[in-house]
Amino acid sequence: MSKSITLHIENLCIQTIIGILEKERCAPQAVEVNAEITYTYTDAFLDYVEICNLITSSLQNNAYGLLETALLDIAKMLKNHSTKIQKLTLHIKKPTILESCIVGASLTQDFTQTP
């Protein structure tokens, strides 16, 4: 019998080029990624180390201008990696870009809903 399990990844720290400001395009900055990935669990599981490596590779191999583009690419990549994924929520935060606050963006995608 299959069950839905949610995998949690919190505070995945990555150095990457992301943003549209001139200073963000010249040198990598720290970002934090959080993810909640709900998937159908039978006898196979989602490997959180592999998921973290996929997210890290995506952010380090692409110089994203917008957080939104990065979120959409990562969601698509993860769904292509595992068709078991039912729903995911991703957050990307920039903890050092502004002194007064932490900014970021998030995406929730439910793959069980038909468009």
Side-chain angles (χ1 to χ4, degrees):
M1 174 181 242
S2 66
K3 302 280 185 199
S4 289
I5 300 286
T6 301
L7 176 70
H8 296 266
I9 298 170
E10 296 182 9
N11 303 324
L12 175 61
C13 297
I14 303 165
Q15 292 288 322
T16 188
I17 301 282
I18 191 166
I20 58 173
L21 301 175
E22 187 176 326
K23 68 180 180 178
E24 294 178 298
R25 303 307 300 162
C26 343
Q29 67 178 294
V31 297
E32 286 184 9
V33 177
N34 293 311
E36 292 181 9
I37 304 168
T38 302
Y39 67 100
T40 305
Y41 176 79
T42 51
D43 290 332
F45 60 92
L46 288 184
D47 183 342
Y48 58 81
V49 173
E50 188 175 14
I51 298 290
C52 289
N53 289 338
L54 287 168
I55 293 169
T56 299
S57 292
S58 182
L59 286 170
Q60 289 180 336
N61 294 332
N62 299 290
Y64 290 107
L66 297 173
L67 292 172
E68 292 85 348
T69 306
L71 289 166
L72 290 167
D73 279 1
I74 292 168
K76 182 179 178 181
M77 181 230 1
L78 291 175
K79 181 59 177 169
N80 287 338
H81 173 73
S82 177
T83 57
K84 292 180 171 215
I85 295 175
Q86 300 168 337
K87 182 178 178 181
L88 64 85
T89 299
L90 298 169
H91 302 262
I92 301 176
K93 297 178 187 176
K94 296 179 177 184
T96 61
I97 196 65
L98 297 174
E99 290 182 26
S100 60
C101 65
I102 296 173
V103 297
S106 65
L107 166 75
T108 298
Q109 198 158 2
D110 187 343
F111 296 104
T112 63
Q113 304 274 327
T114 54

